[in-house]
C-alpha cells in the first residue's frame, strides 16, 4: 500500500521559489567581474532566472540540452543555474583552470549548445572557438556597455539578451530525476568524466548539507562560497543557501588573501567555504597586515586535507570554528564533516585538534564502508586502512556518456579512490588516494599523514610525499618541500627528528628534496603524477 501524501517533485526551482516567497529581500551581494560590488535579492534573482529560462527557450534550448558556463561566482551565474534548470536544461560548469585542450574536450564531449562566459575568459575562448563543435551561441555575462568586440559567433551581452524576455513565463514541470547539472572530474589520468546531477539529488543533497551537524546554514547566516561554482557543484552552497534563506556573498574573480579579507569585512560574512590554500593565503595576508576577520564564525575547509596548524590558528587566534569536510564531485560533493558527538566527551586541546584533522562523519543520505582489495568489509577501529566506498541518493551511479562502465560494486557502493580508516565513533580519516599510497614491504604508508605532519615544521610552506623505487621494500617515501620566503630548509635528519613522535618509525622518509614550487591540478590538489614523473629516477644519496 502506498502512502497518501502529495507527490511534490524535488526540483531546483522550488528552492528558488521558496527563497523568493519567504526571504524576498534577503541580499545576494557579488563582487562583479567589471569591478564594483553589486547587490540584489532572492526576489529579483528569481524574476531574472525566469527570464533566462524564457530567453533560452526562445533560442531553441530544450529539456536535456546542455548549457555551459565558464564563470566566477556572481549573481549572474546564480541566475543562469536556475534559469537553465527551470526548463529542464542542464548547467554544465566548466573549470577555466584546466588545460585549454581539456576544456575543448569537455565542451565537445558534453555537446553543450550554448556557452555563457565571463569577460575574463573571452581571450581563452577566442583561441578555442574554432575547435568547439557544438556551441551555437556565446553569451557574455556582462552588459552592452562592457562588451568588447569578440569576433565570437553569435556573441551577445547577457543583459541585452535577457532584456529581450519579459519574464511572463512559468517554470517547466518534469520528473524530479531529470538531469540538472553536469560537472567533469579533473582526473589526473585518463579523460575527464562527467558527473550528472539530477534535480532530486541536488535538492536532497542541499537538505542533507543543511543539517545542523553538517554545514547547517540558517536564515541569519551570511554565506560566502569562495569555492567556485565550477568546482564540484559549488559544494552545494548555491542551493543550500537559498534553501535556508541565508544571505549569499559571491566573491567574483578575486580570490587572493587581501580581496577575500576585504569582501568578508565589507559584507559581514559569517560563514565561508574554500580549499586550504585560500585559508592559508588569507592567514598570510592577516599576518602581514595585522588585519582581523571579526565577523567570520565558521569556515568549511575541504577539497584536500586541512592541516591541523590551519585549524588551530583560525580557532585559537581568530575565533573561527573550522568544519573540516571531505567529499568529491561524484558525491554532489559533501561526504563527511566534523561532528561533535557527545559520547566522545571532553578532549584536551591536542586530542580535539587531532579529531578535527580527521575528515569526519557522513550526514544522513551518505553510507560508508571500507574494504580490502577483495571487497571484504574491514573493521571500524581507526587503524585498519581500506578502500573507502559510499552509496546514497546524491552519489554517482554512472558517468555521462559512459553508461556501460561498471562503476558500483554488487551492493551499489561507489569506490571513492580514497584509502581511509573509520574509527569506533564513525569518524573517517583519509590516509591517501589509492594511487598515491606508498607500498613499503607490503604495508601501506600514508603520504597525506606525512605531508600534514611536515607542514608543522617551522618555515615549511608546502610538503608532498611520493614513492620512490626501493630494491628491498619496493617503495619508500620521498619528501618534497617548498619553504616560505627566507626560511631555512631542514635536512633529512632534522625533518625526521621532528617527525619521529608523529608517525611510525618505518614511515620516515628516506630522502628529502627542496624545490621552488610543487605542481597543482586545476582544483588545487598536489599533482602527484607530475611529481612521480619528475622524481622517477631519484635515489637517496645514501644508496
Ligand atoms: P574532487 O572531485 O576534485 O573534489 O576531488 C575529490 C577528492 O579530493 C577526494 O576523493 C579526496 O581524495 C580529496 N579530498 C577532498 N576533501 C578532502 C579532505 N578533506 N581531506 C583529504 N582529501 C580530500
Amino acid at each position: 500500500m502506498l502512502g497518501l501524501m502529495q507527490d511534490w517533485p524535488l526540483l531546483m526551482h522550488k528552492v528558488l521559489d521558496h527563497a523568493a516567497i519567504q526571504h524576498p529581500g534577503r541580499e545576494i551581494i557579488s563582487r562583479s567581474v567589471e569591478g564594483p560590488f553589486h547587490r540584489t535579492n532572492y526576489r529579483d534573482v528569481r524574476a531574472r532566472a525566469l527570464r533566462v529560462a524564457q530567453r533560452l527557450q526562445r533560442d531553441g534550448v530544450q529539456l536535456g540540452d546542455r548549457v555551459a558556463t565558464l564563470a566566477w561566482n556572481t549573481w549572474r551565474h546564480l541566475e543562469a543555474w536556475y534559469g537553465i534548470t527551470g526548463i529542464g536544461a542542464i548547467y554544465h560548469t566548466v573549470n577555466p583552470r584546466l588545460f585549454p585542450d581539456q576544456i575543448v574536450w569537455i565542451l565537445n564531449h558534453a555537446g553543450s549548445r550554448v556557452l555563457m562566459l565571463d569577460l575574463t575568459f573571452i581571450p581563452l575562448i577566442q583561441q578555442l572557438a574554432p575547435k568547439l563543435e557544438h556551441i551555437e551561441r556565446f553569451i557574455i555575462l556582462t552588459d552592452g556597455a562592457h562588451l568588447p568586440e569578440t569576433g565570437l559567433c553569435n556573441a551577445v551581452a547577457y543583459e541585452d539578451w535577457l532584456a529581450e524576455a519579459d519574464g511572463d513565463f512559468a517554470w517547466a514541470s518534469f520528473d524530479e530525476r531529470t538531469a540538472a547539472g553536469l560537472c567533469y572530474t579533473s582526473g589526473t589520468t585518463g579523460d575527464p568524466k562527467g558527473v550528472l546531477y539530477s534535480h532530486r539529488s541536488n535538492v536532497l543533497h542541499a537538505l542533507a548539507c543543511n543539517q545542523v551537524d553538517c554545514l547547517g546554514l540558517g536564515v541569519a547566516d551570511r554565506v560566502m562560497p569562495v569555492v567556485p561554482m565550477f568546482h564540484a557543484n559549488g559544494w552545494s552552497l548555491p542551493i543550500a543557501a537559498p534553501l535556508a534563506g541565508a544571505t549569499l556573498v559571491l566573491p567574483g574573480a578575486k580570490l587572493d588573501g587581501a580581496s577575500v579579507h576585504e569582501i568578508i569585512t565589507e559584507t559581514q560574512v559569517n560563514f565561508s567555504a574554500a580549499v586550504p590554500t585560500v585559508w592559508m593565503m588569507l592567514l598570510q595576508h592577516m599576518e602581514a597586515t595585522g588585519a582581523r576577520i571579526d565577523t567570520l564564525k565558521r569556515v568549511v575547509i575541504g577539497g584536500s586535507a586541512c592541516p591541523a596548524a590551519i585549524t588551530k590558528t583560525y580557532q585559537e587566534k581568530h575565533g573561527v570554528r573550522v568544519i573540516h569536510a571531505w567529499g568529491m564531485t561524484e558525491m554532489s560533493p559533501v561526504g563527511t564533516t566534523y561532528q561533535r558527538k557527545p559520547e566522545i566527551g571532553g578532549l584536551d586541546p591536542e586530542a580535539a585538534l587531532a579529531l578535527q584533522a580527521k575528515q569526519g562523519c557522513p550526514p544522513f543520505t551518505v553510507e560508508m564502508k571500507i574494504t580490502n582489495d577483495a571487497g571484504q568489509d574491514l573493521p571500524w577501529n581507526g587503524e585498519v586502512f581500506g578502500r573507502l566506498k559510499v552509496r546514497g541518493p546524491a552519489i554517482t551511479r554512472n558517468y555521462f556518456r559512459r553508461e556501460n562502465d561498471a562503476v558500483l560494486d554488487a551492493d551499489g557502493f561507489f569506490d571513492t579512490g580514497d584509502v581511509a580508516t573509520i574509527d569506533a565513533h564513525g569518524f573517517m580519516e583519509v590516509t591517501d588516494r589509492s594511487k598515491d599510497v606508498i607500498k613499503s614491504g607490503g604495508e601501506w604508508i600514508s603520504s597525506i599523514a606525512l605531508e600534514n605532519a611536515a607542514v608543522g615544521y617551522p618555515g615549511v610552506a608546502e610538503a608532498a610525499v611520493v614513492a620512490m623505487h626501493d630494491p628491498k621494500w619496493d617503495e619508500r617515501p620521498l619528501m618534497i618541500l617548498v619553504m616560505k620566503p627566507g626560511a631555512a630548509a631542514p635536512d633529512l635528519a632534522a625533518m625526521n627528528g621532528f617527525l619521529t613522535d608523529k608517525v611510525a618509525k618505518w614511515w620516515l622518509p628516506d630522502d628529502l628534496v627542496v624545490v621552488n614550487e610543487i605542481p597543482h591540478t586545476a582544483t588545487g590538489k598536489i599533482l602527484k603524477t607530475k611529481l612521480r614523473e619528475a622524481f622517477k629516477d631519484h635515489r637517496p644519496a645514501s644508496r
Side-chain angles (χ1 to χ4, degrees):
M1 187 188 293
L2 295 179
L4 290 174
M5 306 311 279
Q6 297 180 13
D7 216 353
W8 193 85
L10 302 175
L11 298 172
M12 292 266 296
H13 49 256
K14 288 191 181 280
V15 173
L16 191 58
D17 285 350
H18 170 76
I21 293 165
Q22 288 299 325
H23 316 281
R26 191 90 63 239
E27 274 195 310
I28 295 160
I29 310 168
S30 311
R31 189 196 289 278
S32 68
V33 174
E34 294 85 351
F37 282 113
H38 171 277
R39 289 169 187 264
T40 178
N41 56 40
Y42 284 121
R43 184 201 312 108
D44 292 350
V45 161
R46 177 180 179 274
R48 281 164 53 95
L50 271 167
R51 283 161 60 196
V52 172
Q54 183 183 25
R55 192 63 193 77
L56 280 171
Q57 197 173 64
R58 195 179 303 165
D59 275 348
V61 174
Q62 297 175 357
L63 187 97
D65 283 344
R66 275 77 63 206
V67 175
T69 61
L70 191 62
W72 301 110
N73 294 3
T74 67
W75 80 102
R76 291 188 179 118
H77 199 177
L78 189 73
E79 291 164 5
W81 270 30
Y82 284 95
I84 293 165
T85 54
I87 52 168
I90 301 165
Y91 62 85
H92 167 209
T93 47
V94 182
N95 182 347
R97 296 174 185 149
L98 294 173
F99 293 119
D101 281 352
Q102 269 183 319
I103 295 179
V104 170
W105 189 93
I106 285 173
L107 281 165
N108 288 343
H109 186 264
S112 295
R113 294 181 54 195
V114 176
L115 176 58
M116 296 185 169
L117 65 151
D118 272 328
L119 285 167
T120 329
F121 305 118
I122 291 177
L124 173 68
I125 291 302
Q126 282 169 327
Q127 184 200 327
L128 305 184
K131 298 187 200 158
L132 301 178
E133 293 165 9
H134 307 286
I135 305 287
E136 298 157 21
R137 154 149 263 185
F138 295 90
I139 300 171
I140 322 291
L141 294 165
T142 189
D143 54 24
H146 289 90
L147 184 71
E149 176 49 47
T150 66
L152 293 170
C153 126
N154 240 338
V156 62
Y158 174 82
E159 295 296 341
D160 293 346
W161 174 81
L162 205 59
E164 291 166 12
D166 59 13
D168 183 11
F169 192 74
W171 304 120
S173 54
F174 37 78
D175 192 295
E176 64 179 11
R177 292 163 301 174
T178 302
L182 177 63
C183 180
Y184 281 73
T185 59
S186 49
T188 47
T189 51
D191 288 331
K193 289 184 265 184
V195 176
L196 192 60
Y197 308 112
S198 68
H199 282 257
R200 175 183 155 81
S201 69
N202 271 350
V203 174
L204 280 176
H205 183 62
L207 283 165
C209 285
N210 275 350
Q211 293 171 86
V212 166
D213 290 313
C214 193
L215 308 186
L217 302 185
V219 76
D221 282 322
R222 301 178 68 83
V223 177
M224 177 167 73
V226 178
V227 53
M229 290 161 75
F230 54 74
H231 273 190
N233 228 5
W235 295 7
S236 171
L237 294 170
I239 308 162
L243 195 145
T247 299
L248 251 184
V249 177
L250 300 168
K254 291 193 168 173
L255 305 179
D256 59 283
S259 303
V260 168
H261 178 264
E262 182 196 33
I263 194 165
I264 287 174
T265 44
E266 286 277 316
T267 66
Q268 311 263 297
V269 168
N270 74 345
F271 180 106
S272 187
V275 292
T277 323
V278 166
W279 300 114
M280 213 125 74
M281 290 192 305
L282 178 61
L283 273 185
Q284 280 165 4
H285 169 76
M286 292 193 291
E287 274 164 24
T289 59
R292 296 205 43 89
I293 33 163
D294 293 327
T295 62
L296 196 62
K297 295 295 168 233
R298 289 186 295 156
V299 292
V300 184
I301 308 188
S304 45
C306 176
I310 294 193
T311 306
K312 190 175 160 78
T313 313
Y314 273 101
Q315 294 190 158
E316 292 178 6
K317 199 161 164 198
H318 298 283
V320 179
R321 182 151 77 80
V322 169
I323 305 171
H324 187 192
W326 164 88
M328 61 196 313
T329 308
E330 285 91 335
M331 298 181 73
S332 292
V334 178
T336 57
T337 50
Y338 174 69
Q339 291 181 6
R340 297 182 190 180
K341 292 190 173 176
E343 61 272 25
I344 291 168
L347 293 174
D348 67 54
E350 286 307 308
L353 267 181
L355 190 61
Q356 266 187 291
K358 294 191 175 195
Q359 278 66 20
C361 309
F364 174 67
T365 66
V366 177
E367 290 174 26
M368 291 194 310
K369 67 176 177 181
I370 44 174
T371 76
N372 61 17
D373 283 344
Q376 290 155 331
D377 279 14
L378 294 173
W380 291 20
N381 60 14
E383 307 230 323
V384 177
F385 305 179
R387 290 174 172 277
L388 176 64
K389 298 180 180 171
V390 291
R391 80 181 169 190
I395 297 172
T396 302
R397 72 177 148 85
N398 274 119
Y399 292 103
F400 183 54
R401 294 191 156 157
R402 297 173 64 138
E403 283 81 354
N404 294 328
D405 293 3
V407 171
L408 307 183
D409 73 9
D411 297 321
F413 279 84
F414 172 85
D415 188 333
T416 63
D418 286 329
V419 173
T421 61
I422 304 178
D423 70 18
H425 293 297
F427 280 74
M428 183 274 287
E429 181 168 23
V430 172
T431 49
D432 236 316
R433 290 293 293 164
S434 49
K435 298 188 294 287
D436 298 337
V437 79
I438 294 152
K439 294 178 177 134
S440 175
E443 297 293 338
W444 289 3
I445 297 175
S446 159
S447 64
I448 292 182
L450 281 170
E451 289 159 6
N452 283 346
V455 292
Y457 191 97
V460 170
E462 195 172 19
V465 173
V466 292
M468 59 183 166
H469 177 70
D470 184 276
K472 181 168 176 198
W473 302 107
D474 195 24
E475 290 182 354
R476 290 292 305 155
L478 164 67
M479 180 169 285
I480 301 158
L481 296 181
V482 176
M483 301 304 295
K484 290 183 183 160
D491 61 13
L492 181 67
M495 177 53 86
N496 283 352
F498 174 77
L499 294 175
T500 300
D501 60 349
K502 300 177 179 67
V503 297
K505 193 155 180 290
W506 60 276
W507 284 26
L508 294 176
D510 276 17
D511 205 6
L512 181 152
V513 181
V514 179
V515 295
N516 291 330
E517 202 184 344
I518 285 176
H520 290 97
T521 66
T523 49
K525 300 185 207 318
I526 294 174
L527 193 50
K528 294 268 172 96
T529 44
K530 203 156 173 193
L531 279 179
R532 275 196 288 269
E533 180 58 27
F535 289 95
K536 73 175 186 308
D537 299 323
H538 184 87
R539 299 288 174 267
S542 58
R543 226 188 282 153

